[in-house]
């Protein structure tokens, strides 16, 4: 369609009536659930046979990807989403996404499209990847709250420098928030000098914000990560295509470490 539009050959004549069906499983119905879709006005949307308003309630990632609220039609068990539309050559059929406050649980041994169920969002995360902890397809950020050890507080009061090192983190980038200050970490070494904030306020808590990435949300999800990503990496005929989801790990995969620094150089680690 984009090629036809670029060359001035796209038309608005209806070529046929079409339907697309998608199914997903729900264990705990979310209080709010949206379907993110481009050009929502072109489609008649039904969930489990119930018509869904085509008036967007918002947008996701980009303003062209509008969101339709569908929570009122969700049911426990299998759900079927149906899109009816009059196909024209100026239409682009894009991926759909479920967006809302929910987690996912893998119901089988393999990461297949029909092997997940929507569940309640995780209340907390253990050290390790978000994948497998309910945030398999999550692409935004997670904040970890860390208590500052008393030994570190005492050292900061005595004039020692303090650094928080994220030795084991999987992310696009990260940030350390402490005492009203933020230190962004975009490349190795993933360590933030928080001496000034610790000396000024001696806070009892540090927040580590880990930013994931859009790969697990937008793909390509069925071809290994390659040097080049183009339309072919979304094509089921790709020579490396697999039906399983190939997901990137995100999260704190090991505990951060508070390190004490001499004013003129690094010292020994104070503890985790």
């Amino acid at each position: 369609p984009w090629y036809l539009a670029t060359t001035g050959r796209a038309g608005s004549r209806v070529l046929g009536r079409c339907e697309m069906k998608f199914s997903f499983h729900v264990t705990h119905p979310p209080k709010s659930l949206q379907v993110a879709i481009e050009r929502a006005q072109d489609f008649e949307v039904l969930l489990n046979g119930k018509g869904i308003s085509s008036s967007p309630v918002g947008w996701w990632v980009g303003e062209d990807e509008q969101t339709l609220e569908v929570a009122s039609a969700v049911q426990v068990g299998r759900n079927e989403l149906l899109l009816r539309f009059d196909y024209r050559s100026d239409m682009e059929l894009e991926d759909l996404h479920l967006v809302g406050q929910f987690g996912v649980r893998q119901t089988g041994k393999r990461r297949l499209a029909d092997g997940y169920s929507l569940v309640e969002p995780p209340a907390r995360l253990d050290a390790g990847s978000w994948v497998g902890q309910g945030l398999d397809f999550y692409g935004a950020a997670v904040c970890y709250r860390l208590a500052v050890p008393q030994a570190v507080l005492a050292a900061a009061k005595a004039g020692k420098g303090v650094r928080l090192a994220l030795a084991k983190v999987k992310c696009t980038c990260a940030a350390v928030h402490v005492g009203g200050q933020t230190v962004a970490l975009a490349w190795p070494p993933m360590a933030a000098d928080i001496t000034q904030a610790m000396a000024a306020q001696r806070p009892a808590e540090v927040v580590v914000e880990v930013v994931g990435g859009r790969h697990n949300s937008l793909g390509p999800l069925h071809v290994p990560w390659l040097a080049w990503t183009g339309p072919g990496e979304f094509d089921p005929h790709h020579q490396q295509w697999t039906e399983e989801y190939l997901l990137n790990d995100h999260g704190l995969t090991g505990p951060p470490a508070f390190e004490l620094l001499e004013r003129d150089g690094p010292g020994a680690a104070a503890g985790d």
Side-chain angles (χ1 to χ4, degrees), residues 66-176:
Q66 300 165 326
T67 53
L68 308 179
E69 183 62 50
V70 299
S72 62
V74 171
Q75 63 189 20
V76 174
R78 183 178 182 274
N79 290 258
E80 183 178 87
L81 182 69
L82 176 65
L83 272 65
R84 292 177 178 151
F85 57 99
D86 294 321
Y87 183 72
R88 309 180 308 272
S89 64
D90 64 351
M91 293 182 69
E92 293 190 49
L93 302 180
E94 301 288 353
D95 287 343
L96 310 180
H97 297 86
L98 292 176
V99 182
Q101 298 296 319
F102 60 85
V104 296
R105 185 184 70 222
Q106 191 174 334
T107 57
K109 293 183 179 180
R110 301 176 65 194
R111 296 175 181 167
L112 300 174
D114 59 354
Y116 282 89
S117 184
L118 271 61
V119 297
E120 294 178 346
R124 59 171 294 164
L125 295 175
D126 295 324
S129 175
W130 302 343
V131 176
Q133 297 194 70
L135 301 180
D136 295 35
F137 304 99
Y138 183 63
V142 165
C143 289
Y144 297 78
R145 299 186 179 278
L146 309 175
V148 180
Q150 288 298 318
V152 174
L153 291 172
K157 185 177 180 179
K160 293 278 189 178
V162 182
R163 180 172 61 197
L164 182 64
L166 311 181
K168 295 183 179 180
V169 61
K170 299 286 188 179
C171 63
T172 300
C173 61
V176 175

Side-chain angles (χ1 to χ4, degrees), residues 1 19 24 41 63 68 75 77 87 116 139 149-150 165 168 188 191 215 235 242 262:
E19 291 185 349
F24 59 94
Q41 70 275 10
E63 293 184 5
L68 308 179
Q75 63 189 20
Y87 183 72
Y116 282 89
Q150 288 298 318
K168 295 183 179 180
H215 172 268
D235 188 343
T242 174
E262 299 293 346

Side-chain angles (χ1 to χ4, degrees), residues 170-187:
K170 299 286 188 179
C171 63
T172 300
C173 61
V176 175
H177 307 280
V178 53
Q181 300 182 21
T182 296
V183 180
L185 302 175
W187 46 75

